Amino acid sequence: MRLIAFLCLITTVVFAQTEADFITNTRQLTFEGKRSGEGYFSADGSKMIFQSEREEGNPFYQIYLMDLETGDQERLSPGMGKTTCAWIHPDGKRVLFASTHTDPDSKKLQQAEYDERKNTKVRRYAWDYDEHYDIWEYTLADKKLKNLTNTRGYDAEGGWSPDGKKIVFASNRAAYEGKLSKEDEERLKIDKQYFMEIYTADADGSNVKRLTEVPGYDGGPFFSADGKRICWRRFTPKGDVAEVWTMNTDGSDQKAITKLGAMSWAPYFHPSGEYLIFTTNLNGFANFELYIADAAGKHAPVRVTTTDGFDGLPVFTPDGKKLSWTSGRSSGGASQIYMADWDHDHARVALGLGQEVKIVKEVKTPDFALTAADIRDTDLKQHVTYLASDELGGRLTGTDGEKLATQYFADVAKQIGLAAFGDNDTYFDNFDFTAGVALGEGNALSLNGSELKVEQDWKPLSFSQNGEVKEAGIVFAGYGIETPEEATGTDGKKIETYSSYAHLEVKDKWVLVFRYLPEGITQERRNELSRYSSLRYKALTARQKGARGLIVVSGPNSKVVQQLAPMTFDASLATSGIAAISITDAVGDKLLASAGKKLKDLQDKLDNGDLMGGIECTGLKLGAKIVIQQEKKKGRNVLAVLPYGDRPDPHVAPLIVGAHIDHLGSSGGSNSRAKGDEVNKIHHGADDNASGVGGVLEIAQWLADLKKLGKLTLKRDIIFAAWSGEELGLLGSNHFVEAYAKMIKGDANAKLTGMFAACLNMDMIGRFQKSVVLQGLGSSSMWAKEIEKRNAPIGLPITTQNDAHLPTDSTAFYLKGIPTLNAFTGAHADYHMPSDTADKIDYPNATKITKLMGLIARGIATADAAPDYVAMEAPKNSGVRTGLRAYLGTIPDYAQGDTKGVKLSGVSPIGPAAKAGVKAGDIIIKLGGKDIANIYDYTYVMGDLKIGKETTITVQREGKSVDLKIMPGSRD
C-alpha cells in the first residue's frame, strides 16, 4: 500500500543482479598468511604485485610479486616496517610501493602490534596513516630502492600513468607543511585521513601538483587506461560517506560518478573506459560488495557480487577479460585475493551501454500445474513466495524485478485461459514516468566572470528553474523567511510577524539566505515559523518579490555534514519558477566580504530571533546556467480479461478486479520505514502487495474454471489487473483510467460512471489481525447487502469503512465515478520494511478473504444491474499539513508530471471548489491573487486563506484561464 503521506517521494534505485551474470570461474589466488589484498597487474597481464601479512617477525603488510605463468613469488619490500599500495611500471622493470621502513621505531611498532593482537580478543583491521610513509621505487634488476616523495606525512596509494611518465598518489602532507588552526591541530591528532588529498608528480617524484582541495579524505587514485582521467574516492568531512569521483589528469572537470549516500570506494576503470568498478556498503554497514557504474555517472550503479563476505578492491586485467579483487568469502573470513572471468558485454548492457537484450538471468518460476482451480492457501502461498523472493528484488516500478513480476502474472493469466487486454493485443499496459532528478551537462556559475565549480562550490536545488540566468546583483536577506500579516499558529491565534525582507529591494537580484531556521529561538517560535522556512517556501517568497534567483547557504552555526543541499526528488516534479542554488560557507563568505561582513557574525546575530536589515553585496554580479535532468523510465500494468461471451465486449460495463504488483525495490528509498543499513536491503513486499496479487490470480483461476465447466453464466466481462507504480503515486491505475477516458470520451479527465461496473481491489490481505477491513462501503448502496450475502458462507469478522478516498489504486477509479471496494487487513510492524516476507503471511485467513472477494466478484459479474455510484466528499483532514485549517475540497493529481500549477484529479462534490465551479482536470495557477507553480505553493497559500472570506481562484481549463470566486470552508 502506498505510504500514507502528504507527498510521495521516490529515489533512484540500484537493482541487484545475479553474481554469475558478471563473473564466472571464480577461484582463490592467494592462501598464505593472515590476509592478502590489493593485487595489481603488470601491463602485459603476466604478473601481479600484492600486499600480504605473511612475513615472519613482522605483523604488517609487505609487498610481493607473483608470476602468473609459473606461480613464482618474491618479496620486494625490505621486510621491516609497514608497506602498502604497490604498482608495476609499464616497462615491467620496476615497481613502486609505500613504506615506513626508514622509521627508526619500526621494530618497536612491530612488537607493539604483536602485543596488541595477543591482548585484544577482537582486533578490527584499521589504518593509521603513519606520517613516515613514503613512496619508493624498486628496480627489479639491481634490487635498489629510491625514495620518490621523501616528505613528512602519509604518502601512499600511488600508481604510474599508462605511459610511465607520471605518478598519482594520495597524501596528507599539507597538514604538516603549513600553519594549521587550533581546531585542525587537534583534528590531526585523531583524524589524519581528513587532510588527505590527490597529487600528481613526474615519474621521478618531481613537479608535484595538488589536484584536490576539499575537506575530507580524497584517496585511492588510478589513471584510466588511456591516461586521460583519474578516478578516486571522496569522503565527506565527517568520514561516514564516500562517493566515487573522476577528473581530468590536471584536476579539472571533477565529477561525482556515484551518489549513493554510502561508503563507496576503491574505484577502478575498465580498460574500455566505459565504466568503473568499485566497492560499497550500500547493502549494509559491514556488507561491502562490488558494483559497477558508467563513466559518465548517468545510470544507477549495478551490483556485481552477492556472495556472503567482504568483496572489495577490484581491478581488471589489462585486456579487461578478468577481474581480481580482495574477498573474505572463504578462508574463515580472512581477506585473500580472488580472480574470475569477467563478462564485459553483460556489464555494458546492465549499465545501458549496450544493445537492448534480456540481461536478467532466468529465474525459475513456480509450476502452474501444481495449482488447483479452487482457491487454496497452498496456491496462494506459491504465488506470494515467488513474487516476494530475493530474485525479484522488491519489484520497484521500472526495474527488472517489476518485469519479472508482471511477466509472471501474464504467464499465469494465459495458462488460466484469460485473454490479453493490454497494448497491441498483449497483456501489458505500458506507461512512462519520471524516476528521479540529476545534474545535466553544462551547469555553470560565474561570479564577476570567475567560474565556480559545480558540486564543489555550488549545486542547483532540485526544484530550480532550468536555463540561463543573466548576471545580476546579490542581496543578503537573513533566513529568507516572511510570515503573512494575518498568520496564525495551530491554536488559531495570530503569531508575531517575521520578515527577512523589511526595507529590502530584491527585484531582479539574487537573494542570499540561510538554509534553515534561526538556531537559537524557542521551540514554540520554531513551530510558528517552520511552515515558512522550507526551501520551497523561501523560493516562493523570493519569486513573489521579483527576485531573479535564490542562493542558499547553510552557515557555520548549522553544523551540517554536507554544506551543499542534496538534490532530492519529489513527486510534484514542478520547478519553483525561480533559479535556486546551494553554495558552501566559503563561497557565502566570499559574497559577503564585498560588504565587509562574515557569515558567522550575521548568523550569530540572527540566531537569537532578532531581525536585521538586508545587505547589498556591492560590486558583485552572479550569472548561471542551470541544467537539471529528469530520469525517465517505463513501467507496466498487466491486464487480462475473462469475457462473458466468446470474446471481450466493450459495450457492457466490465468489472475490474485488481491489486498493485509493485513494491519498494532493492533499496527502500524515502518510502521505507527501515532505519540505518536496513534501508538498503530488498523490501520483499509479501503482504504489500504480493498477497493481493496472489488473491487476484486465485479468483481469476476459480472463475475461469467455473465458466469452463458451465457453472457460471457471466453478464459482463471481468478484467483482472496487476497495477504498477502504486507505491510511487498510483501511476499505473491513473494511467489506465485516464487513457480509457481519453479513448472513450475524448477527455482524460472525464468521468467513467457506467463504463465500469465496479472496481474490487485487494491491498495487503495477508496479515489478518482481528478482522478484514472493507473500505469504500459508501461508494455504492449495494455494498452492505452484497457483503452480508457473500460473507455468510465464509464467516470472516469484518470492519467496514465508508470512505473511498484511499491511498491505493481503487481511488483512481472512484474519482472517475466508479463504485469501489477495497480489502485490507491493516498495517503492521513489517509494513514497508525488508522484513515483510512470505513466511509471515497468514495464508488460511488470506485465502478466506480471497474467497470473500471472489464471491463478491461473482455476484457482480452475474447480476443484470451493476452497483450504483454514490458521490462522497473527501475527508477534510486527509493528508493535510499540520495547522492547515482552510478547506477547498480539491484533490490534487500527485502524478501530474512537470505541469506548471496544480492539476486536479477531482473535487469533492459538495466542497467549496465544486460550488465555485472548479472541475477535475483544471490546473490551478493562482489562488488569493498569488501565483501557483506547484503543489508546495498551493499548500503554502492555502495556509494564508481565511475561512468564510471569499477569494479568487484562477484555473487553466482547455488552454484558457478561468477566474472563479471561492469561499474557503473549515476542516474542523
Side-chain angles (χ1 to χ4, degrees):
M1 178 172 280
R2 184 182 174 208
L3 188 64
I4 303 171
F6 175 66
L7 285 177
C8 178
L9 304 179
I10 62 177
T11 185
T12 302
V13 174
V14 179
F15 180 71
Q17 296 194 52
T18 305
E19 182 174 302
D21 291 335
F22 295 96
I23 56 176
T24 53
N25 300 321
T26 300
R27 64 186 179 95
Q28 187 172 338
L29 188 63
T30 61
F31 294 85
E32 186 183 352
K34 184 178 178 63
R35 53 182 160 231
S36 300
E38 291 207 54
Y40 302 106
F41 294 97
S42 60
D44 62 3
S46 66
K47 292 181 174 61
M48 173 184 281
I49 195 165
F50 65 99
Q51 60 193 37
S52 181
E53 291 184 9
R54 60 176 65 175
E55 189 67 22
E56 185 176 351
N58 190 338
F60 300 117
Y61 279 127
Q62 291 298 303
I63 303 302
Y64 299 84
L65 184 67
M66 178 188 296
D67 189 318
L68 296 175
E69 296 176 353
T70 66
D72 293 342
Q73 296 182 20
E74 64 174 314
R75 192 192 77 224
L76 305 184
S77 55
M80 182 184 296
K82 312 167 192 174
T83 59
T84 187
C85 306
W87 194 260
I88 304 173
H89 192 274
D91 64 13
K93 298 178 180 179
R94 45 195 160 139
V95 303
L96 64 73
F97 54 83
S99 176
T100 67
H101 67 275
T102 57
D103 180 3
D105 291 329
S106 287
K107 287 190 176 180
K108 291 181 182 179
L109 292 172
Q110 289 171 194
Q111 187 58 49
E113 179 67 15
Y114 275 127
D115 294 341
E116 178 71 17
R117 293 185 183 185
K118 289 178 183 178
N119 298 328
T120 305
K121 291 182 179 180
V122 179
R123 175 67 168 163
R124 292 188 63 86
Y125 179 69
W127 205 251
D128 59 7
Y129 302 92
D130 192 316
E131 66 186 65
H132 294 92
Y133 266 114
D134 278 312
I135 296 177
W136 295 78
E137 180 184 279
Y138 177 87
T139 307
L140 296 176
D142 59 15
K143 303 185 185 303
K144 289 184 178 180
L145 280 168
K146 175 185 177 183
N147 193 331
L148 297 181
T149 52
N150 200 23
T151 302
R152 187 185 177 192
Y154 174 85
D155 294 315
E157 304 171 22
W160 274 295
S161 59
D163 61 7
K165 296 179 179 180
K166 289 282 186 180
I167 58 171
V168 63
F169 63 99
S171 176
N172 60 6
R173 58 176 58 195
Y176 298 92
E177 293 172 343
K179 176 71 173 175
L180 296 178
S181 65
K182 288 185 178 180
E183 182 180 359
D184 281 346
E185 285 180 356
E186 293 301 312
R187 187 161 199 164
L188 183 61
K189 295 176 183 178
I190 60 173
D191 187 15
K192 294 181 175 63
Q193 70 177 25
Y194 174 84
F195 300 92
M196 294 292 295
E197 301 293 346
I198 306 298
Y199 293 79
T200 57
D202 289 347
D204 61 1
S206 62
N207 295 322
V208 175
K209 179 181 180 180
R210 181 171 169 176
L211 302 186
T212 60
E213 297 192 29
V214 177
Y217 183 5
D218 288 293
F222 292 104
F223 286 100
S224 60
D226 61 6
K228 295 180 179 179
R229 301 285 290 180
I230 293 171
C231 65
W232 84 101
R233 63 174 179 262
R234 169 167 286 171
F235 278 82
T236 58
K238 191 176 179 181
D240 58 340
V241 173
E243 303 290 359
V244 174
W245 287 64
T246 68
M247 60 181 162
N248 291 329
T249 54
D250 62 359
S252 63
D253 190 30
Q254 297 188 7
K255 179 187 301 183
I257 302 302
T258 66
K259 298 171 186 176
L260 299 177
M263 194 162 303
S264 303
W265 56 290
Y268 197 88
F269 281 105
H270 186 267
S272 67
E274 294 180 298
Y275 57 89
L276 303 94
I277 191 165
F278 63 97
T279 312
T280 182
N281 65 350
L282 179 65
N283 301 95
F285 179 75
N287 181 25
F288 284 97
E289 302 289 352
L290 302 184
Y291 276 67
I292 51 174
D294 66 288
K298 293 182 178 180
H299 302 278
V302 176
R303 185 173 179 176
V304 173
T305 57
T306 56
T307 303
D308 290 342
F310 171 87
D311 289 297
L313 299 160
V315 297
F316 293 106
T317 52
D319 62 7
K321 295 180 179 180
K322 292 185 182 294
L323 176 74
S324 175
W325 74 103
T326 305
S327 180
R329 56 181 57 204
S330 60
S331 304
S335 295
Q336 295 291 350
I337 298 174
Y338 287 72
M339 282 187 69
D341 294 333
W342 177 254
D343 192 330
H344 172 58
D345 292 334
H346 180 82
R348 295 186 73 252
V349 174
L351 289 169
L353 303 174
Q355 60 183 349
E356 292 296 327
V357 297
K358 187 172 183 180
I359 64 172
V360 178
K361 185 178 179 180
E362 288 293 334
V363 178
K364 186 176 181 180
T365 55
D367 186 355
F368 177 74
L370 298 177
T371 64
D374 292 338
I375 297 173
R376 305 189 308 176
D377 55 0
T378 54
D379 297 351
L380 187 61
K381 184 176 182 179
Q382 178 169 304
H383 296 313
V384 173
T385 301
Y386 174 73
L387 291 170
S389 64
D390 285 352
E391 287 78 7
L392 270 64
R395 311 186 308 277
L396 183 75
T397 305
T399 67
D400 290 317
E402 179 221 33
K403 290 178 182 176
L404 287 171
T406 51
Q407 186 65 57
Y408 175 74
F409 190 100
D411 290 344
V412 174
K414 185 176 182 180
Q415 292 177 86
I416 288 171
L418 305 183
F421 199 70
D423 302 333
N424 303 317
D425 296 322
T426 70
Y427 288 95
F428 303 114
D429 174 38
N430 299 282
F431 58 91
D432 297 320
F433 69 100
T434 302
V437 292
L439 290 181
E441 296 291 334
N443 280 282
L445 187 70
S446 63
L447 179 64
N448 285 4
S450 178
E451 292 293 324
L452 300 178
K453 294 183 178 180
V454 67
E455 293 197 278
Q456 182 173 324
D457 300 319
W458 74 285
K459 183 192 297 184
L461 296 175
S462 56
F463 53 76
S464 175
Q465 188 170 16
N466 271 334
E468 297 274 357
V469 185
K470 293 182 180 179
E471 282 192 340
I474 305 168
V475 293
F476 173 72
Y479 274 93
I481 297 171
E482 183 166 83
T483 59
E485 289 267 339
E486 302 299 320
T488 58
T490 55
D491 57 2
K493 296 180 180 179
K494 184 177 178 180
I495 66 172
E496 179 185 352
T497 58
Y498 185 105
S499 178
S500 300
Y501 289 89
H503 312 297
L504 181 64
E505 177 56 52
V506 302
K507 185 172 175 58
D508 292 328
K509 297 177 182 177
W510 289 90
V511 181
L512 172 64
V513 303
F514 284 120
R515 182 172 167 183
Y516 301 107
L517 280 164
E519 298 291 332
I521 58 177
T522 65
Q523 185 59 49
E524 180 182 7
R525 188 59 167 158
R526 292 182 75 84
N527 293 340
E528 290 176 346
L529 297 180
S530 62
R531 72 176 297 264
Y532 307 103
S533 67
S534 75
L535 295 183
R536 280 272 192 178
Y537 198 97
K538 290 180 181 182
L540 167 67
T541 303
R543 189 190 77 214
Q544 290 178 340
K545 292 182 176 295
R548 183 164 294 180
L550 180 74
I551 307 171
V552 176
V553 64
S554 297
N557 294 355
S558 301
K559 308 291 185 186
V560 294
V561 175
Q562 298 276 14
Q563 290 190 4
L564 298 179
M567 290 189 70
T568 54
F569 171 69
D570 61 58
S572 84
L573 298 183
T575 74
S576 57
I578 187 174
I581 65 173
S582 172
I583 62 171
T584 63
D585 289 355
V587 175
D589 271 326
K590 189 174 182 179
L591 299 181
L592 289 166
S594 65
K597 304 291 183 182
K598 293 184 177 180
L599 281 177
K600 175 66 174 169
D601 296 337
L602 295 174
Q603 198 168 24
D604 285 343
K605 185 173 182 180
L606 289 164
D607 276 356
N608 61 14
D610 291 344
L611 294 171
M612 61 184 295
I615 297 170
E616 184 90 25
C617 299
T618 55
L620 297 182
K621 294 290 183 182
L622 190 72
K625 180 182 180 182
I626 296 174
V627 186
I628 299 174
Q629 293 180 333
Q630 295 179 357
E631 182 187 2
K632 301 291 185 181
K633 287 190 175 182
K634 290 184 180 293
R636 64 184 187 185
N637 304 316
V638 192
L639 302 172
V641 61
L642 178 63
Y644 74 89
D646 294 333
R647 59 180 58 87
D649 183 358
H651 302 97
V652 180
L655 169 67
I656 297 271
V657 179
H660 78 86
I661 199 167
D662 65 306
H663 195 53
L664 304 185
S666 58
S667 174
S670 59
N671 279 347
S672 173
R673 293 177 57 249
K675 302 296 181 184
D677 299 339
E678 292 287 310
V679 174
N680 292 314
K681 293 184 178 180
I682 293 174
H683 286 56
H684 298 90
D687 185 32
D688 186 14
N689 182 39
S691 65
V693 175
V696 172
L697 290 173
E698 284 295 285
I699 293 171
Q701 188 175 3
W702 175 58
L703 292 177
D705 186 67
L706 289 180
K707 182 191 176 192
K708 182 179 179 181
L709 296 174
K711 297 180 180 180
L712 181 68
T713 304
L714 296 174
K715 299 296 180 67
R716 63 188 75 254
D717 296 344
I718 307 176
I719 298 172
F720 295 96
W723 309 114
S724 192
E726 191 266 4
E727 299 287 5
L728 307 184
L730 313 186
L731 301 183
S733 53
N734 271 318
H735 163 77
F736 174 78
V737 295
E738 289 179 3
Y740 205 86
K742 180 75 172 177
M743 178 180 68
I744 300 299
K745 297 193 173 183
D747 179 5
N749 301 303
K751 293 286 187 181
L752 292 173
T753 306
M755 304 306 298
F756 292 98
C759 173
L760 301 182
N761 196 64
M762 288 179 282
D763 196 345
M764 297 172 61
I765 63 168
R767 301 290 281 270
F768 185 85
Q769 297 170 54
K770 294 182 179 180
S771 64
V772 59
V773 183
L774 297 181
Q775 302 167 308
L777 193 74
S779 68
S780 176
S781 63
M782 178 181 169
W783 289 140
K785 181 179 180 180
E786 191 66 22
I787 292 168
E788 177 184 299
K789 288 193 298 183
R790 306 311 170 191
N791 192 44
I794 306 298
L796 277 167
I798 291 175
T799 299
T800 59
Q801 294 177 355
N802 283 332
D803 186 30
H805 300 86
L806 306 170
T808 189
D809 293 293
S810 59
T811 299
F813 290 86
Y814 181 70
L815 295 177
K816 290 293 187 183
I818 300 161
T820 61
L821 191 67
N822 181 64
F824 174 51
T825 51
H828 45 79
D830 298 310
Y831 169 66
H832 278 200
M833 299 277 285
S835 52
D836 180 11
T837 50
D839 59 303
K840 296 180 180 179
I841 298 298
D842 181 348
Y843 291 104
N845 279 308
T847 301
K848 289 181 180 180
I849 295 166
T850 301
K851 289 180 177 179
L852 171 62
M853 296 299 282
L855 287 170
I856 293 172
R858 176 183 173 276
I860 298 170
T862 57
D864 292 322
D868 60 327
Y869 168 76
V870 176
M872 293 182 290
E873 188 173 3
K876 294 182 178 181
N877 292 311
S878 175
V880 300
R881 293 175 66 95
T882 302
L884 195 62
R885 296 184 61 241
Y887 171 70
L888 300 183
T890 55
I891 303 173
D893 178 359
Y894 293 118
Q896 70 174 48
D898 55 2
T899 303
K900 185 175 182 180
V902 174
K903 185 180 179 182
L904 300 180
S905 61
V907 294
S908 295
I910 57 175
K915 293 177 181 177
V918 180
K919 301 178 180 179
D922 284 349
I923 300 171
I924 300 173
I925 55 176
K926 275 193 175 184
L927 180 62
K930 295 182 178 180
D931 291 334
I932 303 297
N934 51 62
I935 188 68
Y936 299 95
D937 292 358
Y938 182 56
T939 307
Y940 298 138
V941 174
M942 279 269 290
D944 300 333
L945 299 181
K946 299 302 169 187
I947 297 168
K949 184 176 180 181
E950 187 178 73
T951 189
T952 58
I953 184 170
T954 303
V955 300
Q956 193 174 69
R957 183 182 297 163
E958 297 178 352
K960 297 179 180 179
S961 294
V962 180
D963 295 323
L964 303 167
K965 297 292 185 182
I966 192 168
M967 181 80 74
S970 173
R971 296 183 183 276
D972 303 326

